[in-house]
Amino acid sequence: RRRLLYCLQCSARYEAHVLDPSIVPAPPHTPRLTWRSLQAADQDAITALSAACQAADGGQALIAVHAYIQAPGADTPPRATIGAFDTAGQLFACAAVWLEQTPERAQANIIGQVHPRQRGRGIGAFLLSWSIAQTQALLAATPSDRPRALRLTTESLTPAAKRLYQRFGFTQQFAEDVM
């Protein structure tokens, strides 16, 4: 099967705008949903959410469980995760952020997804604001002489998602066919 992998990076215009990392946005009012950090026990819920998003948007699940529970290619968990669960334990939205560093560069990464039935309620905008605040705190702790980047990766790029990302200063850097 083929899949497209989209990578977006924050534009220079947005990178120049530094938020106060101590200010973390509050979740939107979401009746019957509780927000908390993701845990290893949430693997099945993350997989179910990824399947629902894939069914609506196409693509294939993006490293579904490991990217949210453990940063890709790392032995440590991501620096921050968040998820919205209903009273039955179903996951309706989640995001994860982590930092990758080399001697040449510091890159903060964002992934996230919102269940198709919960879209259009401000949840995606909250997840992106929350993720940016988390990544800015991560990047602020890196050496100042290193170039810094903020990267968002997604398996599918719907028109609504593209508008949301653009509103936050992200532009598509590349799309890749993976077989």
Side-chain angles (χ1 to χ4, degrees), residues 12-167:
R13 172 184 58 80
Y14 189 82
E15 286 178 319
H17 176 71
V18 177
L19 299 174
D20 181 347
S22 67
I23 300 173
V24 178
H29 176 67
T30 49
R32 299 179 301 276
L33 293 181
T34 302
W35 293 87
R36 66 168 174 79
S37 294
L38 298 173
Q39 304 162 5
D42 298 324
Q43 292 181 22
D44 290 344
I46 295 166
T47 300
L49 174 58
S50 293
C53 292
Q54 179 185 348
D57 304 330
Q60 291 181 331
L62 174 67
I63 329 167
V65 174
H66 297 299
Y68 291 97
I69 302 300
Q70 179 177 328
D75 293 328
T76 58
R79 229 18 222 305
T81 62
I82 192 168
F85 293 83
D86 69 6
T87 55
Q90 183 177 0
L91 179 63
F92 280 98
C94 63
V97 301
W98 67 93
L99 184 65
E100 294 176 6
Q101 292 190 73
T102 67
E104 297 81 33
R105 181 179 179 165
Q107 178 175 288
N109 298 281
I110 298 172
I111 57 170
Q113 51 191 351
V114 177
H115 195 285
R117 291 193 317 251
Q118 294 291 328
R119 293 176 183 169
R121 300 178 187 189
I123 294 172
F126 160 71
L127 285 176
L128 200 46
S129 291
W130 179 90
S131 296
I132 290 168
Q134 299 297 321
T135 59
Q136 286 182 334
L138 292 174
L139 289 170
T142 63
S144 60
D145 63 339
R146 239 182 247 171
R148 299 171 178 167
L150 178 53
R151 181 176 176 175
L152 183 147
T153 305
T154 184
E155 274 292 325
S156 61
L157 190 58
T158 64
K162 186 174 183 176
R163 285 190 302 275
L164 174 66
Y165 302 149
Q166 287 174 335
R167 196 169 77 212

